[in-house]
Amino acid sequence: EIKNQNPAETVVFDQCVAPFADVEDMLMGLAKIIEKQTPMISEILSVGKSLKDETSPEILSRSGARLLKLLEPFLESLVPTQLAGCAGESSNAMLISLSGMASQLDTIASNEIDQDRANSLHKSATSLQLAAWVMAQLQSSVHTFYSQEGICGDEDSSTTEILGSLSKAITGYIPIVTMLGNQDSVEELRETIEALNKAQADIAELEAKSGTSLPGVECGASFSEMAEALENLADLVAALDSNSV
């Protein structure tokens, strides 16, 4: 629809101008990626759900590691190619594209005489706006890991803080699940967050009593590296528990 009303073969956004074909390819590619990643999304949700009733710090650490290993390829798959003409990270280009296309569809819909067609265009615009918002939430959750409140806050941080960063990142998913209207899933997420926070506190207490702890990961650590650190933490917790028996 936008292409029909825009003979220039480019899409003008607030911050840049991009070839229409590139924007179209990016958005179609995103739809295919999400469809392809459906099984992984289901597994991520399943692992996250399994954490909510777990009380063992060791198991929570191992499950947190597994969740990070699943999240890394999933989040990487959502990063599209760079848009020619739009500088910056490709994820930002995606947000620009989704929001910009939504705004243009809304404008077209507002000028449309046929009410049914106008409603259809408005619905499409709303879908694009929601997609942009979800992408922004996911992007924000990743940034949480690398913030001062995450793994980059203290030079003397310990591996247990990865659990805290993971719980903060999951907190960022609550608005998405709330928007989808599944209150049960919202409560499960809250319980998962509580379980991770309790595990962090319990392990920190165990480390303090034993005088043994693992150093935190570097600020730029990948999710895989954080997962490996949590696996090592789980091994440490298991060893400390066995020694205390």
Side-chain angles (χ1 to χ4, degrees):
E1 181 63 37
I2 293 174
K3 186 175 182 179
N4 290 338
Q5 304 212 15
N6 186 1
E9 298 297 327
T10 58
V11 182
V12 180
F13 300 121
D14 289 341
Q15 304 174 34
C16 58
V17 177
F20 185 90
D22 289 355
V23 176
E24 186 175 34
D25 287 345
M26 177 181 282
L27 297 180
M28 289 180 66
L30 177 63
K32 291 177 181 177
I33 287 169
I34 292 176
E35 182 180 5
K36 184 178 179 181
Q37 293 292 342
T38 298
M40 183 175 288
I41 294 172
S42 298
E43 188 173 0
I44 289 171
L45 293 175
S46 177
V47 173
K49 187 175 180 179
S50 72
L51 297 179
K52 70 182 184 69
D53 297 320
E54 186 54 64
T55 58
S56 165
E58 178 193 350
I59 295 176
L60 281 165
S61 294
R62 296 195 193 283
S63 297
R66 184 182 173 203
L67 193 56
L68 286 169
K69 288 177 182 177
L70 289 170
L71 282 171
E72 186 168 55
F74 169 67
L75 293 172
E76 284 180 350
S77 73
L78 294 180
V79 178
T81 55
Q82 178 66 54
L83 273 180
C86 290
E89 296 180 0
S90 54
S91 54
N92 290 334
M94 172 62 77
L95 295 180
I96 291 170
S97 299
L98 292 171
S99 300
M101 297 288 264
S103 297
Q104 293 190 37
L105 278 178
D106 259 337
T107 299
I108 294 171
S110 298
N111 296 323
E112 177 57 53
I113 297 175
D114 187 313
Q115 194 59 47
D116 289 338
R117 192 158 178 271
N119 289 337
S120 177
L121 289 171
H122 276 306
K123 286 180 180 179
S124 296
T126 299
S127 295
L128 287 173
Q129 288 166 345
L130 286 174
W133 178 75
V134 169
M135 287 289 289
Q137 292 295 125
L138 291 173
Q139 189 179 79
S140 176
S141 73
V142 173
H143 290 166
T144 296
F145 279 97
Y146 303 103
S147 67
Q148 290 297 308
E149 291 74 31
I151 64 173
C152 298
D154 188 348
E155 291 183 2
D156 299 321
S157 65
S158 71
T159 299
T160 56
E161 292 179 16
I162 297 174
L163 289 172
S165 297
L166 182 57
S167 73
K168 290 184 179 70
I170 293 175
T171 300
Y173 299 152
I174 289 179
I176 298 175
V177 178
T178 301
M179 181 267 293
L180 295 174
N182 191 333
Q183 190 57 38
D184 288 341
S185 294
V186 172
E187 291 305 316
E188 288 172 354
L189 277 181
R190 294 190 192 280
E191 291 171 8
T192 296
I193 292 164
E194 289 177 8
L196 288 170
N197 287 335
K198 186 175 186 304
Q200 181 186 12
D202 289 346
I203 295 172
E205 182 179 353
L206 187 62
E207 288 178 333
K209 288 180 179 179
S210 67
T212 304
S213 65
L214 295 178
V217 293
E218 293 184 0
C219 183
S222 67
F223 278 24
S224 293
E225 290 170 329
M226 285 188 266
E228 183 179 358
L230 285 184
E231 290 281 7
N232 293 335
L233 179 64
D235 291 340
L236 174 64
V237 171
L240 293 176
D241 279 341
S242 65
N243 289 337
S244 64
V245 175

